[in-house]
Amino acid sequence: MARRQTADGGRQGTTTPDRRRRTTGAAPRPSDLLTREQKLELYYWMRLTRTLEERLVALYRQTKVVGGLFRSLGQEADAVGSCFALERRDIMSPLIRNMGAMLVKGATPLEILRQYMAKGDSPTRGRELNIHFGDLDRGFIGQISPLGDMVPVMAGVTLSFKMRGQDRVGLVYVGDGATSTGAFHEGINLAAVQKCPLVVIVESNQYAYSTPTWKQTAAKQMVDKAAGYGVPGLQADGNDVLAVYDVTKTAVDHARSGGGVTLVELVTYRRKGHAEHDNQSYVPDGEIEWWAANNDPLDRYHRVLQEQLGFALSEIEPVDARVRDEVDAATEIAEQSPPPEPHDGLIGVYADPPAETPLWFREGTRAAVERNERAEGWGTWDVKSGEKGA
Amino acid sequence: MARRQTADGGRQGTTTPDRRRRTTGAAPRPSDLLTREQKLELYYWMRLTRTLEERLVALYRQTKVVGGLFRSLGQEADAVGSCFALERRDIMSPLIRNMGAMLVKGATPLEILRQYMAKGDSPTRGRELNIHFGDLDRGFIGQISPLGDMVPVMAGVTLSFKMRGQDRVGLVYVGDGATSTGAFHEGINLAAVQKCPLVVIVESNQYAYSTPTWKQTAAKQMVDKAAGYGVPGLQADGNDVLAVYDVTKTAVDHARSGGGVTLVELVTYRRKGHAEHDNQSYVPDGEIEWWAANNDPLDRYHRVLQEQLGFALSEIEPVDARVRDEVDAATEIAEQSPPPEPHDGLIGVYADPPAETPLWFREGTRAAVERNERAEGWGTWDVKSGEKGA
Amino acid sequence: MTEITYLEGIRQALFDEMERDPSVFCIGEDIGAFGGAFKVTEGLAAKFGDERVIDSPISEIGIVGAAAGAAHMGMRPVVEMQFIDFIANAYDILTNYVATARYRAFLPCPMVVRGPSGGYVRGGPFHSQNPEAGFIHTPGLKVVYPSTVADAYGLMKSAIRDEDCVLFFEHKYLYRRIKGELPAGDGAVPIGKARIAREGKDLSIITYAATVWKALEAAEQLEREDGLSVEVLDLRSLAPLDDEAIQATVRKTNRVLVVHEDTRTGGIAGEITARISESSFAWLDAPIMRVTAHDIPLPYAPQLEDFVLPQASDVVRAARWVAAY
Amino acid sequence: MTEITYLEGIRQALFDEMERDPSVFCIGEDIGAFGGAFKVTEGLAAKFGDERVIDSPISEIGIVGAAAGAAHMGMRPVVEMQFIDFIANAYDILTNYVATARYRAFLPCPMVVRGPSGGYVRGGPFHSQNPEAGFIHTPGLKVVYPSTVADAYGLMKSAIRDEDCVLFFEHKYLYRRIKGELPAGDGAVPIGKARIAREGKDLSIITYAATVWKALEAAEQLEREDGLSVEVLDLRSLAPLDDEAIQATVRKTNRVLVVHEDTRTGGIAGEITARISESSFAWLDAPIMRVTAHDIPLPYAPQLEDFVLPQASDVVRAARWVAAY
Ligand SMILES: Cc1ncc(C[n+]2csc(CCOP(=O)(O)OP(=O)(O)O)c2C)c(N)n1
Ligand SMILES: Cc1ncc(C[n+]2csc(CCOP(=O)(O)OP(=O)(O)O)c2C)c(N)n1
Ligand SMILES: [Mg+2]
Ligand SMILES: [Mg+2]
């Protein structure tokens, strides 16, 4: 393994907006056509993502979050800008860093809070973790943990659009790490051959858990994978929300006009660990700080709003306040939500039969819960103290 | 599916030798360094492949072959020329069209005949089909049916070479169809990241069973997949045995010198059906005939030997005779071979225990065989007559 | 009515359902104009077009995942595995994504995965498998494995109409070896109901798929040679199992032989034994015994395959033992 | 000697075997400098270097296949699944390639696939699985699932030394909850031998992994409250099963409860029931009964998970029923 990265090495260089391909040129950028409201809306969604995640961190520290907590700090532009390029009727499949995309698609902070706290009135009624939920009506499908599987699933979603002649597009996110899975490969290849109206977003956030991208693939960049599937490859600065919107909109339009799949690489950086417990011991010194100081997507867009798009601070600040209020209100309700009823767990494995019968050795309703342990499944433990790391 | 091929369309155009890349130029070709004996040997292996397969067809028609019969007609150069670039200590993993490669690696006609006839003294003692067998000492590993799996396996074989500092190289064949599998993707990617000394040969023979390549992938050519794995991609005319040798030798040398994986695409054409029973109804009229008349690898090399390499017909013809004699002799022995003893089937699922015990309802040795049916599993049946097609 | 083969029964059901419901489509390797390795889908592409009978890349994960996605959106995909053995490649997406979709996400996922299964045809270790045990183990999936023409037809209809994912195992040994008539009317056979293939009172053989025919052959011989009256229960549906029918036959004959072609350890016979033990222990006059394949990857040579797989003669020998207990 | 955890037992075995045998190496996602999601491999990379503790891409097919290839060439790979749930992605290559290598091709394939398994930790449907049933069904694989520190250590040693592929399931609920001492000497525990975790004479509980502890808890309560003497057999090895030990306990107590955390239908309890029924029917004074998880994808909320998984209180209730039969 000779290839090594310097602390502030090439990786950080990849974030200059000029790395966007095929979208540069004289033609107007799709984002030029956004209204003033829409431009501020982009800021709202990014701010909501960040504030909501920060609230979740507080709840996590109070052990009110049952499982692990996954941040998208520093990646808010990537999730929000890309999903913003979809229409209401389009279908999107998020991954663990795409809470922002889900919010854009209509998921509510209340749902997300309830879900993280495994409440009985959460979208999955306590069956699934964190942001693993969806809603076909609002146009997003819940992910599962095995990485890559959502790519073939979205190939099928968009195949159905094509078969029925519907004017709809699909968008699926995949991490840089998940591009190594067989499911990713089979899914994008099938979608490409079938010319499904699908946008595949590869989020190059430089890590898969502790694994840097150079241990994940020898490809110079993720966008180099496009030619192998015979689809256009586009790349953009994932921390520039307008650039993200532009490149995704281009891909979405391509899909909508019958052009088939586009692979879009968004270059960004995962500033927090894989999950909240992860102490990021594997990250070179100064790397996170560099990104926080120089390339925060919210900071950048805040400046763009003022310096390039002519927004006054007095227009931006109310957004922050509104977000705080919304998250506060949602937290209050979510905390009051009841846990699931044990017997609710027996319902709906199949449409028919609609419920399982309780097992022979069980009588009546049970309350077997002794203590509300946090999933050790998510934890990196400190071996010496036997405690979970921060 | 708008994209269509004309009967003699672009596909046939892909066979001109000039499509070899990165191997052209002023430098001497690796094949220039072959001795006269070696050049004639190439012809011997190709002729042996063809003659042995023709003998198998005869045995198949006599229903002496138990399962299906898989031909490599028209692909002999691809298999032989590539494997000829390996050293004795190197390890090769063949696929169903690579009998020629196995012969080069030391598999004998007798073994192959016994194997096809499911004999008790065949290399797998009747346990596996056709050319599904291997021998680590001679340097080839038997394939299994699930496509793509041999790629990660060979990643591991070559990883062991790297870990132990051995001067050995691996070579794995994969069909154009099998490039769509997750196993291919995960295997080549892992090998590329680990810089394993591995050559991955994609045999672009234009079909996967009945499926033409354009339904398999939207990639313009298989070699376009190389960049996505960050490895060099080479392409050659698979029906020009010297070109095949040249391109593979280049990749083998690259691997041996620590350069890691190369993806080599050999462009060729599968002139027979997927297996002997397949009537190739899906092939455009005239396509097979075109290849047979204009681009048979044996015909071509026969001409090259005489016209470019200065061999006299009197040097070539004895090879044909020798091959005939060898195949005759092997057939005679193979036909005399006994079938396996039923109880031999109980041995060696595990090293420990070394054998299974017979099931409780069995007493003593049984001879349950009523008739030697051909595997319907391999057959395309003629629905009307209830008979297998030719 | 004319007799058709088991394979034709399946094809006819696909045809009828595709005609009835435009949301039904097929996807798989070589299933279009070529009609599939066994010609099960022959004629479908000509009738319904390439867009509803889709030739796919060699991507079992891809086609199963795509079927799930399309199913969420209201389509009813039927996925062909060229050989059911290759369902192993889709094990993750089937057991993790498809099987859990309704429970964890309230997503409908009505789809069928079908393919030629089973041995007795000299297919070797990778073209003869019976992988059902790995899937009945997965809550959220349904599994059927018919043995007759009418069931092949009727269960395929029900599988396509089911609101959940149904794995439809087709026994390739039966494809063209057995013939039968289709019943008048719709002919759908409900999933979850076993079938008494032969009535008897001394001993019950519980089985499914190709070994139904081995059991029937054995039952005749036992009647002829031993005067034993053997009941043969054809499960047809492996998930859900028809507990009622199993219980009924066990309580009637008090002696049970469970027969399957699958390997022994971890095969479905264990599950059936456990259910009988739990529900009908007091009715048993003899141990529940199993006749199965050896725990060995299925070898290719006829002499070996026949030795590893259960034969009618094995059923006879085992039944005599149980009857004499 | 000092007490160590179950997790440390596994790590120590990896350490000892890597030190003893230079052909042993580890491969998996994030197992190098980071030490793995649960820190099982912590310190190994520092000691043995990156080349013997390989951080892999997210490619379960890739790493299992690569392990097989390296194993053919004389290496002894230990593959980590970050969570055992992801072994589903490698189902094809494990069951078709690895499991059959020796039988069909006389290729040695000594390798270990290990990973954190099981529930009771609020991991949700994809981080809590017990996929052992799908693998004991596959001839050619061995499967172990220890419940104690000494077995975690000793079975890992045997697994690495075994000439065939061993799936090593580690229960993540036990990782740091149980402590114990390692025995003096080599400490290797033979694969295929069960362990009597508690002696008794009225009733046998046959189980493995985390539910060994639930069974022991139940046994104590039953002794205390009912005066019942319960024997607990910890299988440790699921393939091969220790038929002798199973038979011995059944013939001793004549009453059996099989307990596992895995879902009910198609779980190993069925296989065990069948084997007991076949070998020891005449010794049974009560039906063999099963205590298992519900047939449901494991939900995430504590209230649901605890309801779906078997608890000590369930074992108590079931044992009373069997004892009273
Ligand atoms: C098939 C599979 N293998 C392993 C894992 C364990 N795992 C969960 S997240 C993760 C890293 C994902 O990295 P990446 O795809 O880059 O996404 P990111 O977290 O960076 O957004 C791993 C290895 C998994 N979920 N699925
Ligand atoms: C995973 C898997 N899926 C399906 C099959 C069935 N199958 C056997 S050969 C074949 C076509 C292979 O085509 P290709 O890879 O191009 O090789 P070729 O026969 O052309 O040499 C198919 C689909 C298989 N063996 N493995
Ligand atoms: Mg990442
Ligand atoms: Mg091909």
Side-chain angles (χ1 to χ4, degrees):
Chain A
M1 267 328 88
R3 196 166 140 217
R4 278 242 130 256
Q5 302 277 351
T6 55
D8 67 348
R11 212 185 287 149
Q12 292 164 17
T14 60
T15 58
T16 59
D18 298 339
R19 294 195 41 111
R20 267 181 296 137
R21 290 184 176 178
R22 304 192 198 180
T23 56
T24 53
R29 296 167 53 178
S31 56
D32 294 341
L33 305 174
L34 293 173
T35 63
R36 264 181 78 81
E37 288 67 33
Q38 287 175 313
K39 285 172 182 155
L40 201 58
E41 219 190 300
L42 283 172
Y43 178 78
Y44 165 77
W45 294 120
M46 289 201 285
R47 175 60 67 198
L48 181 59
T49 305
R50 183 162 300 178
T51 302
L52 179 55
E53 284 189 359
E54 285 166 352
R55 175 61 47 87
L56 283 163
V57 171
L59 292 165
Y60 179 86
R61 299 219 167 114
Q62 299 165 45
T63 71
K64 288 178 178 161
V65 165
V66 175
L69 173 60
F70 297 81
R71 296 294 307 276
S72 64
L73 182 67
Q75 297 185 228
E76 295 90 345
D78 136 15
V80 166
S82 52
C83 192
F84 205 76
L86 294 178
E87 302 292 325
R88 211 191 171 304
R89 64 188 178 281
D90 298 333
I91 300 268
M92 180 276 291
S93 161
L95 279 186
I96 201 68
R97 316 281 167 216
N98 303 117
M99 182 198 281
M102 290 171 68
L103 292 168
V104 170
K105 261 291 182 193
T108 67
L110 178 57
E111 287 177 309
I112 290 166
L113 287 159
R114 282 176 169 155
Q115 188 71 15
Y116 260 110
M117 292 192 272
K119 296 294 193 177
D121 52 6
S122 70
T124 67
R125 308 208 305 245
R127 294 167 182 205
E128 252 281 29
L129 326 134
N130 53 61
I131 59 169
H132 288 204
F133 70 95
D135 180 358
L136 283 183
D137 288 339
R138 284 174 284 178
F140 60 106
I141 291 185
Q143 67 197 281
I144 62 168
S145 301
L147 294 166
D149 283 2
M150 301 313 295
V151 182
V153 170
M154 288 302 295
V157 166
T158 51
L159 180 66
S160 82
F161 298 161
K162 198 191 85 172
M163 291 175 81
R164 288 169 157 174
Q166 293 174 339
D167 178 27
R168 301 171 79 180
V169 164
L171 185 153
V172 63
Y173 294 93
V174 66
D176 42 12
T179 61
S180 301
T181 62
F184 162 76
H185 176 71
E186 295 197 6
I188 188 172
N189 184 61
L190 173 62
V193 174
Q194 286 292 328
K195 274 193 170 284
C196 296
L198 179 64
V199 178
V200 178
I201 305 242
V202 179
E203 294 181 284
S204 282
N205 66 359
Q206 317 307 328
Y207 289 95
Y209 211 147
S210 77
T211 305
T213 307
W214 62 271
K215 286 190 179 183
Q216 197 67 241
T217 179
K220 290 195 193 61
Q221 43 186 1
M222 290 293 166
V223 75
D224 290 350
K225 294 184 184 286
Y229 303 110
V231 302
L234 304 177
Q235 193 186 51
D237 176 353
N239 286 17
D240 173 349
V241 70
L242 295 179
V244 170
Y245 174 81
D246 288 338
V247 75
T248 313
K249 187 72 167 70
T250 304
V252 165
D253 289 348
H254 183 71
R256 208 179 298 286
S257 65
V261 176
T262 302
L263 186 154
V264 176
E265 177 181 10
L266 300 178
V267 181
T268 179
Y269 184 80
R270 195 196 74 197
R271 262 158 58 200
K272 298 294 286 183
H274 173 61
E276 197 59 19
H277 66 259
D278 169 3
N279 65 11
Q280 295 173 281
S281 54
Y282 47 84
V283 176
D285 278 351
E287 192 179 83
I288 298 165
E289 294 72 13
W290 186 93
W291 283 85
N294 302 300
N295 204 342
D296 178 76
L298 269 151
D299 289 352
R300 276 177 69 181
Y301 194 52
H302 203 279
R303 273 200 307 278
V304 168
L305 282 172
Q306 289 181 83
E307 293 167 15
Q308 291 173 30
L309 303 177
F311 283 83
L313 203 56
S314 60
E315 290 176 283
I316 303 172
E317 281 176 340
V319 174
D320 296 350
R322 178 184 152 202
V323 161
R324 255 191 319 275
D325 291 348
E326 286 174 357
V327 171
D328 282 346
T331 307
E332 200 157 323
I333 303 174
E335 294 217 47
Q336 305 307 320
S337 282
E341 268 302 309
H343 272 80
D344 186 59
L346 298 180
I347 295 169
V349 176
Y350 297 96
D352 174 31
E356 299 295 303
T357 40
L359 286 169
W360 68 281
F361 46 79
R362 297 265 168 88
E363 309 127 339
T365 309
R366 299 172 57 257
V369 188
E370 283 135 38
R371 49 195 170 130
N372 188 336
E373 303 171 88
R374 177 164 293 158
E376 196 190 350
W378 294 108
T380 297
W381 291 67
D382 178 327
V383 179
K384 272 145 235 115
S385 69
E387 289 295 301
K388 230 184 245 196
Chain B
M1 268 331 89
R3 197 166 141 217
R4 277 244 132 252
Q5 302 276 352
T6 52
D8 68 347
R11 210 186 287 150
Q12 291 164 16
T14 61
T15 59
T16 59
D18 297 339
R19 292 191 46 108
R20 268 181 296 139
R21 290 181 176 180
R22 304 191 198 181
T23 55
T24 52
R29 296 165 54 177
S31 56
D32 294 343
L33 304 175
L34 293 173
T35 62
R36 263 182 77 84
E37 286 68 33
Q38 287 175 312
K39 285 172 183 157
L40 201 56
E41 220 188 300
L42 284 171
Y43 178 77
Y44 165 76
W45 295 121
M46 289 201 284
R47 175 61 65 199
L48 181 58
T49 305
R50 182 161 301 176
T51 302
L52 179 55
E53 284 189 1
E54 284 166 354
R55 175 61 46 87
L56 284 163
V57 172
L59 292 166
Y60 179 86
R61 299 219 168 114
Q62 298 165 44
T63 72
K64 287 179 180 162
V65 165
V66 175
L69 173 60
F70 298 82
R71 296 293 308 273
S72 64
L73 182 68
Q75 297 185 229
E76 295 91 346
D78 138 13
V80 166
S82 52
C83 192
F84 205 75
L86 293 178
E87 302 293 325
R88 210 188 172 305
R89 63 188 178 282
D90 298 333
I91 301 267
M92 179 277 291
S93 162
L95 279 185
I96 202 67
R97 315 279 168 220
N98 304 118
M99 181 199 281
M102 290 172 67
L103 292 169
V104 170
K105 260 292 183 193
T108 66
L110 178 57
E111 287 177 308
I112 291 166
L113 287 159
R114 281 176 170 157
Q115 189 71 14
Y116 260 110
M117 292 192 271
K119 296 294 191 176
D121 53 6
S122 70
T124 67
R125 308 207 305 246
R127 294 166 182 206
E128 252 279 31
L129 327 133
N130 52 59
I131 59 169
H132 288 203
F133 70 95
D135 180 358
L136 283 184
D137 288 338
R138 283 175 283 178
F140 59 106
I141 292 185
Q143 68 196 281
I144 61 168
S145 301
L147 294 167
D149 283 2
M150 301 312 295
V151 182
V153 169
M154 287 302 295
V157 165
T158 52
L159 180 66
S160 84
F161 297 162
K162 198 190 85 171
M163 292 175 81
R164 289 170 157 174
Q166 293 175 338
D167 178 27
R168 301 171 79 180
V169 164
L171 185 153
V172 62
Y173 295 92
V174 67
D176 42 11
T179 62
S180 302
T181 62
F184 162 77
H185 176 70
E186 295 196 6
I188 189 172
N189 184 61
L190 173 62
V193 174
Q194 286 292 327
K195 273 192 170 286
C196 296
L198 179 64
V199 179
V200 179
I201 305 243
V202 179
E203 295 182 283
S204 282
N205 66 359
Q206 316 308 329
Y207 289 94
Y209 212 144
S210 76
T211 306
T213 306
W214 62 273
K215 286 190 177 181
Q216 198 67 244
T217 178
K220 289 194 196 59
Q221 43 187 2
M222 290 291 165
V223 76
D224 290 352
K225 295 183 183 285
Y229 303 110
V231 302
L234 304 177
Q235 193 186 51
D237 176 352
N239 287 17
D240 172 350
V241 71
L242 295 178
V244 170
Y245 174 80
D246 288 339
V247 76
T248 313
K249 186 71 167 68
T250 304
V252 166
D253 289 348
H254 182 71
R256 208 179 298 284
S257 65
V261 175
T262 302
L263 186 155
V264 176
E265 178 181 10
L266 300 179
V267 181
T268 180
Y269 185 79
R270 195 197 75 199
R271 262 157 58 200
K272 298 294 286 181
H274 173 61
E276 198 58 21
H277 66 260
D278 169 4
N279 65 11
Q280 295 173 281
S281 54
Y282 47 84
V283 176
D285 277 352
E287 194 178 83
I288 298 165
E289 293 72 14
W290 187 93
W291 284 83
N294 301 300
N295 204 343
D296 179 76
L298 269 152
D299 290 352
R300 278 177 68 180
Y301 194 50
H302 203 279
R303 272 200 306 279
V304 167
L305 281 173
Q306 289 182 84
E307 293 167 17
Q308 292 172 30
L309 302 176
F311 284 81
L313 203 56
S314 60
E315 291 176 283
I316 304 172
E317 280 176 342
V319 175
D320 297 350
R322 177 183 153 204
V323 161
R324 257 192 319 275
D325 290 348
E326 286 174 358
V327 171
D328 282 345
T331 307
E332 199 156 324
I333 303 175
E335 293 217 49
Q336 305 308 320
S337 284
E341 267 302 306
H343 272 79
D344 186 59
L346 298 180
I347 295 169
V349 176
Y350 297 97
D352 174 31
E356 299 294 303
T357 41
L359 286 168
W360 68 281
F361 46 78
R362 295 267 168 88
E363 309 128 338
T365 310
R366 298 172 57 256
V369 189
E370 283 137 36
R371 45 189 175 139
N372 189 338
E373 305 172 87
R374 177 164 292 162
E376 197 189 354
W378 295 109
T380 296
W381 290 66
D382 179 328
V383 179
K384 271 146 236 116
S385 69
E387 289 295 301
K388 225 183 247 193
Chain C
M1 258 204 146
T2 53
E3 294 216 313
I4 61 172
T5 64
Y6 178 97
L7 184 148
E8 287 164 340
I10 297 163
R11 184 194 294 141
Q12 189 64 46
L14 292 172
F15 191 96
D16 290 355
E17 290 303 297
M18 288 186 76
E19 193 154 60
R20 190 186 56 78
D21 180 353
S23 61
V24 178
F25 74 97
C26 296
I27 185 166
E29 296 149 21
D30 307 294
I31 66 165
F34 187 62
F38 287 91
K39 302 292 176 197
V40 174
T41 57
E42 186 161 69
L44 292 180
K47 167 81 182 176
F48 300 105
D50 281 358
E51 297 253 317
R52 284 182 71 195
V53 189
I54 301 173
D55 274 334
S56 79
I58 304 175
S59 298
E60 284 78 14
I61 309 173
I63 56 182
V64 168
H72 294 339
M73 305 312 292
M75 305 297 290
R76 297 202 165 244
V78 179
V79 182
E80 173 170 306
M81 298 281 127
Q82 193 157 92
F83 285 81
I84 204 69
D85 312 56
F86 306 126
I87 201 171
N89 298 55
Y91 194 78
D92 159 57
I93 201 156
L94 265 172
T95 61
N96 285 324
Y97 189 86
V98 172
T100 63
R102 178 177 299 279
Y103 186 73
R104 75 178 149 75
F106 314 105
L107 282 169
C109 204
M111 55 185 272
V112 177
V113 180
R114 49 159 290 271
S117 318
Y120 300 106
V121 297
R122 290 64 174 107
F126 308 112
H127 291 79
S128 309
Q129 294 175 6
N130 287 290
E132 59 267 21
F135 296 99
I136 70 147
H137 176 247
T138 307
L141 299 177
K142 295 184 175 180
V143 180
V144 298
Y145 205 158
S147 75
T148 67
V149 175
D151 286 348
Y153 176 78
L155 283 170
M156 180 56 84
K157 287 189 122 175
S158 295
I160 293 173
R161 296 173 191 178
D162 201 276
E163 295 301 324
D164 291 303
C165 175
V166 179
L167 308 187
F168 191 98
F169 291 83
E170 305 167 359
H171 207 296
K172 67 175 91 70
Y173 178 82
L174 302 180
Y175 266 163
R176 291 187 172 81
R177 277 195 183 71
I178 60 166
K179 297 198 168 205
E181 287 184 4
L182 296 185
D186 181 57
V189 171
I191 293 173
K193 294 278 166 237
R195 173 183 77 93
I196 295 183
R198 178 191 171 101
E199 302 239 22
K201 57 185 179 33
D202 297 332
L203 173 82
S204 299
I205 298 180
I206 301 177
T207 186
Y208 58 94
T211 46
V212 167
W213 299 96
K214 308 275 175 200
L216 288 171
E217 196 184 323
E220 268 172 48
Q221 188 183 338
L222 289 162
E223 173 112 66
R224 210 168 49 236
E225 297 180 7
D226 304 56
L228 273 175
S229 164
V230 176
E231 180 145 308
V232 177
L233 188 72
D234 175 3
L235 290 168
R236 307 196 285 198
S237 165
L238 305 179
L241 280 167
D242 187 346
D243 285 315
E244 246 175 76
I246 293 173
Q247 223 164 283
T249 189
V250 170
R251 293 184 181 192
K252 176 177 171 193
T253 68
N254 313 112
R255 288 168 198 274
V256 195
L257 203 57
V258 188
V259 178
H260 62 51
E261 180 186 327
D262 187 15
T263 46
R264 187 170 188 77
T265 300
I268 292 181
E271 177 64 28
I272 294 165
T273 302
R275 290 186 182 208
I276 295 171
S277 170
E278 286 167 339
S279 71
S280 305
F281 180 70
W283 279 264
L284 291 174
D285 290 344
I288 306 156
M289 300 298 281
R290 294 178 293 175
V291 173
T292 64
H294 258 290
D295 282 339
I296 288 178
L298 196 63
Y300 163 54
Q303 298 79 2
L304 299 177
E305 182 180 33
D306 286 338
F307 186 71
V308 169
L309 290 184
Q311 306 295 339
S313 53
D314 298 322
V315 178
V316 167
R317 237 175 279 125
R320 283 184 179 143
W321 189 92
V322 172
Y325 186 90
Chain D
M1 259 205 148
T2 53
E3 294 215 314
I4 60 172
T5 63
Y6 178 97
L7 184 147
E8 287 164 340
I10 297 164
R11 184 194 293 140
Q12 190 63 47
L14 292 172
F15 191 95
D16 291 354
E17 290 303 297
M18 287 186 77
E19 195 155 58
R20 190 187 56 76
D21 180 353
S23 62
V24 178
F25 73 98
C26 296
I27 186 166
E29 296 149 22
D30 307 295
I31 66 164
F34 187 62
F38 287 91
K39 301 291 177 201
V40 173
T41 57
E42 187 161 67
L44 292 181
K47 168 81 181 175
F48 299 105
D50 282 358
E51 296 252 318
R52 283 183 71 195
V53 190
I54 301 173
D55 274 335
S56 78
I58 304 176
S59 297
E60 285 77 14
I61 309 172
I63 56 182
V64 168
H72 294 339
M73 305 311 294
M75 305 298 288
R76 297 206 165 242
V78 180
V79 182
E80 174 171 304
M81 297 281 126
Q82 192 157 93
F83 286 82
I84 205 70
D85 312 55
F86 306 126
I87 201 171
N89 297 56
Y91 195 78
D92 159 57
I93 200 156
L94 265 172
T95 61
N96 284 326
Y97 190 85
V98 173
T100 63
R102 179 177 298 281
Y103 186 73
R104 78 180 145 73
F106 315 104
L107 282 169
C109 204
M111 54 184 273
V112 176
V113 180
R114 49 159 290 272
S117 318
Y120 301 106
V121 297
R122 291 63 177 106
F126 308 111
H127 291 78
S128 308
Q129 293 176 6
N130 287 290
E132 59 268 23
F135 296 100
I136 69 146
H137 176 248
T138 306
L141 299 176
K142 295 184 176 181
V143 180
V144 299
Y145 205 158
S147 75
T148 68
V149 175
D151 286 347
Y153 176 77
L155 283 170
M156 180 56 86
K157 286 189 121 174
S158 295
I160 292 173
R161 296 174 191 176
D162 201 276
E163 296 302 324
D164 290 302
C165 175
V166 180
L167 308 187
F168 190 98
F169 291 81
E170 306 167 358
H171 207 296
K172 66 176 91 71
Y173 177 83
L174 303 180
Y175 265 164
R176 289 184 173 83
R177 277 194 182 71
I178 60 165
K179 297 200 169 203
E181 288 185 2
L182 295 186
D186 180 59
V189 172
I191 292 172
K193 294 279 165 233
R195 174 183 76 93
I196 295 183
R198 180 191 170 101
E199 301 240 20
K201 56 184 177 38
D202 297 333
L203 172 82
S204 299
I205 298 180
I206 300 176
T207 185
Y208 58 95
T211 45
V212 167
W213 299 96
K214 308 276 173 198
L216 288 171
E217 196 185 322
E220 269 172 46
Q221 189 184 338
L222 289 161
E223 173 110 65
R224 214 167 48 237
E225 298 180 6
D226 303 57
L228 272 176
S229 163
V230 176
E231 180 145 308
V232 177
L233 187 72
D234 176 2
L235 290 169
R236 307 195 289 195
S237 167
L238 305 179
L241 281 166
D242 186 347
D243 285 314
E244 245 173 78
I246 293 171
Q247 223 164 285
T249 189
V250 170
R251 294 185 180 192
K252 177 177 172 192
T253 68
N254 313 113
R255 287 167 199 273
V256 195
L257 203 58
V258 188
V259 178
H260 63 53
E261 181 187 326
D262 187 14
T263 46
R264 187 171 188 76
T265 299
I268 292 181
E271 177 64 27
I272 294 167
T273 303
R275 290 188 181 208
I276 297 172
S277 169
E278 286 167 338
S279 71
S280 306
F281 180 69
W283 279 264
L284 291 173
D285 289 344
I288 306 156
M289 300 298 282
R290 295 177 293 174
V291 173
T292 64
H294 259 290
D295 283 338
I296 288 177
L298 195 63
Y300 163 56
Q303 297 79 4
L304 299 178
E305 182 179 31
D306 287 337
F307 185 72
V308 169
L309 289 184
Q311 307 295 337
S313 53
D314 297 323
V315 178
V316 167
R317 236 175 280 124
R320 285 185 178 140
W321 188 92
V322 172
Y325 185 89

